[in-house]
Amino acid sequence: MKIIMLGAPGAGKGTQAKMIAEKYGLPHISTGDIFRANIKNGTELGKEAKEYMDKGLLVPDELTVRLLLDRVAKDDCRNGYVLDGFPRTIPQAEVLDAELAKLGEKVDYAINVDVPDENIVNRMSGRRACLSCGATYHIVSIPPKKEGICDVCGSELVLRDDDRPETVQKRLTVYHEQTQPLIDFYEKKGALRSVDGTLPMEEVFAAITEILG
Ligand code: AMP
């Protein structure tokens, strides 16, 4: 099963993607996590990506697509995957489609986690991330067991640079201009399913499992 997650930054698609991956035994692939790991390790790719990420802009398609195609070619992706944060532009979606078509495959579900803009900025300011293992929390809705410390690996939690209010506004504009058109794209292909992302996390997940079976 090949699933992609759509939704504005902060809609909760990462949290849902991880829960789907665990329940269905699929790899969770987040292009944002891959970029952040590269930044942490000081790679050339990381340096290039950071320039865009810190401004709330998308990393250029060419770089992102290459990275994603390498990742989904790995053995653990044979039975499918959950893509979180990819595709984010129509050209990225077209490349993914074309690559899958070569293998006689397609995206089975594009899950749109729908949250209005008004809710997004508040949500993002409460978000905390572990830069070591990629786990994410929210100070109100998904707090860690110990304040400021990752439950999974014990590292310190931070407010990501790109989750700061001034950057969030830019990311929302970029989302509407470049990523939202994917909703129509997948609707036309019959793969789109929308869920109400303003509901509590467990209810959103229940709606998604209803769809995936
Ligand atoms: P995320 O963790 O998915 O919110 O991604 C954080 C940042 O990484 C985004 O704001 C972009 O700058 C960059 N990024 C992640 N995925 C992509 C993608 N598919 N295309 C372009 N940039 C991306």
Side-chain angles (χ1 to χ4, degrees):
M1 191 155 55
K2 296 182 186 64
I3 302 165
I4 66 168
M5 305 299 293
L6 297 176
K13 61 184 185 307
T15 305
Q16 297 297 329
K18 284 177 203 158
M19 291 163 79
I20 297 168
E22 190 172 339
K23 180 172 166 77
Y24 294 91
L26 298 169
H28 164 238
I29 300 176
S30 153
T31 36
D33 281 353
I34 300 175
F35 286 134
R36 280 184 289 277
N38 274 275
I39 292 171
K40 192 161 171 253
N41 295 329
T43 68
E44 274 311 308
L45 172 79
K47 280 182 203 145
E48 204 172 327
K50 188 171 172 20
E51 301 257 327
Y52 298 92
M53 289 168 75
D54 284 353
K55 295 190 188 110
L57 301 173
L58 295 184
V59 178
D61 285 342
E62 201 204 55
L63 206 70
T64 312
V65 163
R66 217 176 338 127
L67 178 114
L68 192 274
L69 293 182
D70 281 353
R71 179 63 189 89
V72 297
K74 295 218 158 76
D75 256 9
D76 64 334
C77 292
R78 264 192 321 240
N79 296 326
Y81 38 75
V82 186
L83 298 188
D84 166 15
F86 186 99
R88 256 186 165 98
T89 65
I90 293 280
Q92 290 180 13
E94 284 172 342
V95 173
L96 178 64
D97 245 40
E99 288 298 316
L100 289 174
K102 282 186 203 164
L103 307 168
E105 295 172 0
K106 62 179 172 55
V107 168
D108 298 297
Y109 296 103
I111 308 274
N112 177 32
V113 182
D114 195 18
V115 175
D117 280 10
E118 305 86 86
N119 302 26
I120 294 287
V121 180
N122 278 343
R123 283 183 173 218
M124 302 276 273
S125 59
R127 203 147 89 146
R128 295 292 179 273
C130 173
L131 297 185
S132 287
C133 75
T136 48
Y137 302 85
H138 188 280
I139 49 178
V140 179
S141 54
I142 322 171
K145 290 195 183 81
K146 189 166 169 217
E147 197 185 320
I149 301 294
C150 178
D151 292 349
V152 181
C153 72
S155 301
E156 197 182 336
L157 299 177
V158 298
L159 177 66
R160 271 165 39 186
D161 285 342
D162 59 346
D163 283 347
R164 294 183 188 284
E166 56 281 16
T167 318
V168 168
Q169 208 52 55
K170 179 69 195 165
R171 291 174 70 194
L172 267 178
T173 307
V174 167
Y175 166 75
H176 287 301
E177 285 174 5
Q178 300 193 61
T179 307
Q180 207 173 16
L182 293 175
I183 293 178
D184 262 5
F185 180 94
Y186 286 108
E187 172 125 64
K188 288 199 181 101
K189 293 189 180 289
L192 186 77
R193 306 286 186 278
S194 278
V195 293
D196 179 354
T198 63
L199 297 173
M201 177 175 91
E202 296 78 12
E203 288 178 38
V204 179
F205 187 57
I208 293 174
T209 54
E210 183 91 353
I211 291 164
L212 301 178

